[in-house]
Amino acid sequence: MFLFGFDAARPCWRLLCALLVFMLPVSVGMWELHSNYLRTLDNEAELAATKAVRLMEGMLHHAEGTNISVEPLIKQPCKASFLALRKRVTLTPFVRSTSLINHRGVYCNSLLGDVHWEDDVESYSDSFLRLLPGNQIRAHHPVLALRTASQDGAALSTIDSEYLKVMLALSAPVSGEAQLRVGNAWLDEQGRLVEGYPRLPSLGVRKVQSEHYPLSVYAGFELPSVWGALWQVRHLTIMMLLVFSLCIALLVWWLLGRPRSMEGELKRALRAKEFVPYLQPLIASRSGKVMGAEVLMRWQHPSSGLIRPDLFIPQAEECGMIVPMTSVLMQAVALRLSSCQDRLPAGFHISFNISAVHCLDLSLLDECRSFLDHFSPGRVVLVLELTERELLVANAHTLALFKRLDEMGVKLAIDDFGTGHSSLTYLQQFHVDYLKIDRSFIGRIGTESLSEHIVDNVIDLGTRLGLTLVAEGVETEVQADYLWSKGVHYLQGYLFGCPQPLRQFCQGLTAGEADGQLVASHATSA
Ligand code: C2E
Ligand code: CA
Ligand code: CA
């Protein structure tokens, strides 16, 4: 699904894959149909030409039989042989007339009797077959003349082109044509005789040569478009091919868009760099200046758009993916924010939300070190927020981890304070620096409810323990004034700024901000 940056679940890739899957069988199928059709045309042309040659041979066989049977009449005067000659011609199919030839030329014809015609033996193919545009009997009507030489002279029989024409038409393939060639002369299905080079069909032309006579037949097809002809004969197959390919493409489209296991989807999204940091400003309640920001993760999903963290963080925590996701987020923030660090006030607080599972290995140490290495000393204060909802077991490993983090100058904040189960010992064991009062309590300020007293108690507790207090979810001036009056050090909420993309946050840092003049505008940005 995801390979070398190629994510088939993205709509554009999904569409491309489906298109490819559609195009592949269509092109292979069409290519196969096309070449198969051309082969069929070739075979049909070959068959048609062979059939025409056989029919021609059949007719010429009759003419040759006539010539042989009248051989004994040569040398006899025409008067004596004329009736026998005529009878023979009448009884033989296809033969129009037969003539006898002696050393002076053609001297006797079955139709006209005594004649004196020239015998041009050279003009015959192989000295015995000739296609003529006409003869002395019918001047402009082509005939096929077969000359059979003997000891005393020769016999000459002619076959009318009407027969040839019909035979060619009968054998020609459907939507194709056939032509007879004898020597340099060509006869087509319409009975037209051409000498030299005729216009041959454009497609699948096959030539079949007679084994007994010097003649050949050319058959082929004259189609305006092969694809058009293919559609006419194979439209059902083409339709089925298109429907089949479409079904496969739709299946691929559906398969690629199918929701995968959450873990697989998170892994894919991590490789595709879809988890992006949003930053929400943290305000010093006394000065109103921006003194830090909390990094909040967003999932820029290719098809679902921007996804809130509470919809995927619990699952990411469950399968352990939250650890690499947070590392990648820290790297992204370090890279981008360090490029504009000269515009950050000194000691700018950057806090990340860390899940309890992340505290189980020591990779967190390296990640924090690497983060701090991107900034000049003292430029930023790295804060890790641990939610009170997740119980962090205080064992030798976690205690050692937080001790080393403390030595590196990394601060620890207890998030959503007041909603979970952290005890006072817990607060002391882990050397907590900040308490973030949960926004559910802040929202009740001014309502005279129990929550307002809880806020007071939390503030009281934090102050006694010497912790820095942060109030989250501050939405109104009333809340801000109340918290300020109670000595809460830092405020965070929509009143001062919504979480915004890191790039936008960096752009918002103006030159004046570098001098610590970054002041909360009570803006409600994106
Ligand atoms: P959180 O750490 O308590 O973050 C504060 C949440 O309150 C954020 O929601 C923020 O957008 C929202 N918020 C800020 N100001 C106001 C306000 O004035 N009014 C109201 N109603 N809400 C406000 P978001 O970004 O949806 O995050 C929800 C939670 O998802 C976070 O709660 C945090 O527990 C978790 N989360 C976010 N990013 C990460 C992360 O990178 N790693 C881990 N492990 N958890 C994260
Ligand atoms: Ca938080
Ligand atoms: Ca919180």
Side-chain angles (χ1 to χ4, degrees):
M1 289 290 193
F2 186 95
L3 199 64
F4 306 123
F6 164 74
D7 177 12
R10 280 178 179 272
C12 55
W13 288 120
R14 216 174 132 200
L15 187 70
L16 190 74
C17 288
L19 264 176
L20 280 178
V21 169
F22 175 76
M23 289 309 292
L24 200 74
V26 165
S27 31
V28 172
M30 289 305 281
W31 180 78
E32 179 55 28
L33 277 175
H34 186 263
S35 37
N36 196 280
Y37 182 56
L38 290 184
R39 276 199 298 276
T40 311
L41 291 184
D42 274 0
N43 288 344
E44 270 186 45
E46 178 97 21
L47 273 174
T50 310
K51 186 176 169 190
V53 165
R54 298 283 165 269
L55 289 169
M56 301 292 164
E57 285 177 343
M59 286 192 290
L60 286 168
H61 186 67
H62 284 292
E64 199 170 14
T66 309
N67 285 356
I68 292 167
S69 70
V70 301
E71 244 176 51
L73 304 178
I74 305 170
K75 279 181 95 180
Q76 286 184 27
C78 188
K79 268 201 185 80
S81 52
F82 173 62
L83 271 176
L85 195 60
R86 183 173 279 187
K87 186 179 173 190
R88 184 69 211 165
V89 170
T90 312
L91 294 176
T92 313
F94 308 118
V95 174
R96 194 174 80 183
S97 74
T98 303
S99 304
L100 299 175
I101 302 170
N102 59 20
H103 62 278
R104 287 201 301 274
V106 183
Y107 73 96
C108 187
N109 177 267
S110 60
L111 182 69
L112 304 172
D114 276 315
V115 291
H116 298 286
W117 297 334
E118 193 191 340
D119 172 33
D120 181 11
V121 76
E122 297 298 317
S123 59
Y124 287 78
S125 293
D126 293 356
S127 308
F128 78 107
L129 194 67
R130 188 179 175 193
L131 192 56
L132 297 137
N135 63 3
Q136 290 82 350
I137 298 165
R138 277 183 87 181
H140 301 293
H141 192 79
V143 284
L144 183 63
L146 180 79
R147 185 182 185 281
T148 310
S150 68
Q151 256 186 341
D152 305 318
L156 180 76
S157 289
T158 56
I159 297 171
D160 196 293
S161 62
E162 282 301 313
Y163 293 121
L164 305 172
K165 191 173 116 174
V166 171
M167 297 303 173
L168 285 174
L170 280 178
S171 358
V174 184
S175 67
E177 44 189 82
Q179 295 188 36
L180 169 68
R181 178 187 184 178
V182 179
N184 206 21
W186 299 74
L187 186 85
D188 67 14
E189 288 168 47
Q190 278 74 45
R192 288 181 299 240
L193 190 135
V194 176
E195 292 206 75
Y197 298 98
R199 191 194 55 79
L200 282 173
S202 54
L203 201 71
V205 178
R206 306 296 288 184
K207 172 195 172 188
V208 174
Q209 174 77 47
S210 165
E211 287 170 11
H212 309 288
Y213 302 98
L215 67 82
S216 45
V217 171
Y218 290 70
F221 298 84
E222 193 59 70
L223 300 171
S225 138
V226 183
W227 290 107
L230 179 63
W231 170 252
Q232 275 194 341
V233 290
R234 299 266 191 280
H235 59 273
L236 204 68
T237 319
I238 295 173
M239 296 278 277
M240 280 172 68
L241 181 69
L242 288 173
V243 170
F244 170 76
S245 309
L246 192 70
C247 289
I248 304 254
L250 287 175
L251 184 72
V252 166
W253 171 265
W254 174 74
L255 280 176
L256 292 179
R258 226 167 27 136
R260 280 163 275 179
S261 79
M262 193 58 182
E263 188 177 347
E265 183 64 0
L266 289 172
K267 280 184 180 160
R268 183 203 60 73
L270 183 64
R271 281 183 295 239
K273 295 191 170 57
E274 285 171 13
F275 299 113
V276 291
Y278 270 54
L279 263 65
Q280 187 178 29
L282 200 65
I283 308 299
S285 60
R286 285 196 189 283
S287 62
K289 286 180 187 168
V290 178
M291 52 68 66
E294 180 180 359
V295 180
L296 295 156
M297 197 185 289
R298 297 285 182 271
W299 184 353
Q300 188 68 61
H301 196 274
S303 50
S304 310
L306 203 65
I307 303 179
R308 287 192 342 249
D310 43 327
L311 296 179
F312 63 90
I313 295 274
Q315 289 90 331
E317 284 174 337
E318 224 167 81
C319 64
M321 281 300 293
I322 190 68
V323 178
M325 280 160 65
T326 309
S327 317
V328 169
L329 197 75
M330 286 178 84
Q331 285 165 25
V333 175
L335 267 178
R336 186 75 189 90
L337 205 63
S338 60
S339 67
C340 59
Q341 57 177 303
D342 50 332
R343 284 187 269 153
L344 293 174
F348 193 77
H349 284 55
I350 281 289
S351 61
F352 287 92
N353 292 283
I354 301 293
S355 300
V357 66
H358 207 147
C359 305
L360 296 181
D361 60 59
L362 291 175
S363 68
L364 187 60
L365 273 177
D366 296 331
E367 284 151 15
C368 292
R369 192 173 297 116
S370 157
F371 181 87
L372 291 170
D373 284 349
H374 280 79
F375 299 90
S376 44
R379 178 57 70 180
V380 293
V381 174
L382 176 60
V383 183
L384 301 183
E385 295 190 8
L386 278 169
T387 176
E388 208 199 30
R389 290 176 222 271
E390 275 189 302
L391 185 65
L392 187 65
V393 187
N395 55 24
H397 171 81
T398 46
L399 289 173
L401 173 79
F402 283 103
K403 187 168 176 287
R404 289 177 67 181
L405 284 170
D406 189 40
E407 284 161 8
M408 276 168 59
V410 176
K411 305 285 179 199
L412 187 62
I414 296 298
D415 202 358
D416 310 326
F417 191 76
T419 61
H421 30 55
S422 54
S423 64
L424 289 176
T425 32
Y426 180 89
L427 291 178
Q428 282 161 342
Q429 272 175 324
F430 284 110
H431 190 154
V432 173
D433 300 285
Y434 301 95
L435 274 191
K436 291 190 81 172
I437 309 164
D438 190 67
R439 62 176 185 270
S440 58
F441 302 118
I442 307 297
R444 299 291 177 90
I445 289 173
T447 58
E448 307 272 326
S449 66
L450 185 66
S451 300
E452 202 174 275
H453 298 297
I454 295 176
V455 174
D456 291 346
N457 283 328
V458 169
I459 294 170
D460 198 37
L461 175 68
T463 315
R464 275 168 210 244
L465 290 171
L467 301 175
T468 309
L469 291 165
V470 183
E472 57 179 20
V474 182
E475 292 180 349
T476 62
E477 297 275 4
V478 175
Q479 291 165 356
D481 291 344
Y482 181 84
L483 292 162
W484 173 75
S485 68
K486 292 282 175 181
V488 173
H489 308 90
Y490 299 114
L491 307 176
Q492 184 184 346
Y494 295 162
L495 181 67
F496 309 104
C498 290
Q500 50 188 274
L502 176 56
R503 183 177 292 273
Q504 200 178 318
F505 186 88
C506 288
Q507 281 165 357
L509 299 169
T510 59
E513 290 157 5
D515 311 323
Q517 299 303 310
L518 202 68
V519 177
S521 58
H522 292 203
T524 49
S525 56

